[in-house]
Amino acid sequence: MSIAASVPIRDAHDLSLAYTPGVARVCEAIATDPEVAHDYTWVSNTVAVVTDGTAVLGLGDIGPAASMPVMEGKAILFKQFGGVDAIPIALDTTDVDEIVETVVRLAPSFGGINLEDISSPRCFEIERRLVERLDIPVFHDDQHGTAVVTLAALINSARLTDRDLQDLKVVISGAGAAGVAIMKILQSAGVRKIAVVDRAGVIHPGRDDLNDVKRWLADQTAGWARPGSIADALDEADVFIGVSGGTVPEEAVARMAPEAIVFAMANPHPEVHPDVAHQYARVVATGRSDFPNQINNVLVFPGIFRGALDVRATRISEDMKIAAATAIADLVGDDLSETYVIPSPFDSRVATAVSRAVTDSARREGLARRPY
């Protein structure tokens, strides 16, 4: 990574514009109207990638210093795929109050905040409080990026298997950040029959070992979820979505409905190995690049922030996320097949399509400060 000037400084005249006395005029303009900071500073195109290093990739709680390479990698992807400048910020605290206060104080330097690799359930409260206090987009990619790309793949998988979203019987393995966000976006998209499973089995209102987040999940899925193991939940289920890192027995997958859909997204070891899943499922996707149908967040976050920044959105709404998922799904078009339900991360159309969908949605919802 590097930071480079967007204009040359070749002589004393250039220096007088780039620094004193020229910058004083810009400072005065911003002091008079803070909104022009988006026109005359890097704010309009710069995102903070913020972590505390407590839930890094598949590495877990490795601390802020060790998390920095991942944050730098994220910043590179922002630039490569969305043209968005991103600055990695690793915070040496795991205290929710301290993280929120620190980000709020840093926020004037950025056009958006991408939260990354913060452990559950703290990540939910941190995001919620930042959304409440800031008037710029705040996006926890481990939650919402995963949820958006999962919905995109599911839209096309349902189309391929001639199913309606509202009729799907879905089992989500994992009740962390990704699992909760996937459940939310699937409900918003019309899926009604969802069961969420953790290490103790199906999450339901009768359990007495649930934290606040899992109690909320239990209430939201009470109309369909029934007590039991993951094998019980998968009996005649249409869809398995794995974001847990656990292992699902082959005999449980065998109990799924004909032409099942299996998204085993744990890395590096999917909950169900694709060779096993293919014996029982028509569509199989993973989080890995060495199998077809890679469900990868890079399809989402560059375009979402590109669109949000372009219209100076005040936040990223559920409708904007669904619009992004639909745009990604639509790119597959008539090429839809069992091995192609989601575009490649290197499909150059993705970020543009997502960005346009997000800007259109933001304008419809009145969340765009730049309405044109």
Side-chain angles (χ1 to χ4, degrees), residues 46-98:
T46 307
V47 169
V49 180
V50 180
T51 190
D52 64 359
T54 55
V56 179
L57 286 175
L59 304 175
D61 185 356
I62 60 175
S67 74
M68 185 56 78
V70 178
M71 302 310 113
E72 290 180 334
K74 194 81 170 194
I76 290 169
L77 298 180
F78 264 111
K79 188 67 173 180
Q80 175 72 26
F81 293 102
V84 174
D85 296 314
I87 305 298
I89 298 175
L91 301 179
D92 190 14
T93 178
T94 60
D95 182 84
V96 169
D97 292 336
E98 290 182 355

Side-chain angles (χ1 to χ4, degrees), residues 76 112 149 166 172 195 205 286 329:
I76 290 169
V149 73
Q166 63 184 7
I172 300 171
T286 71

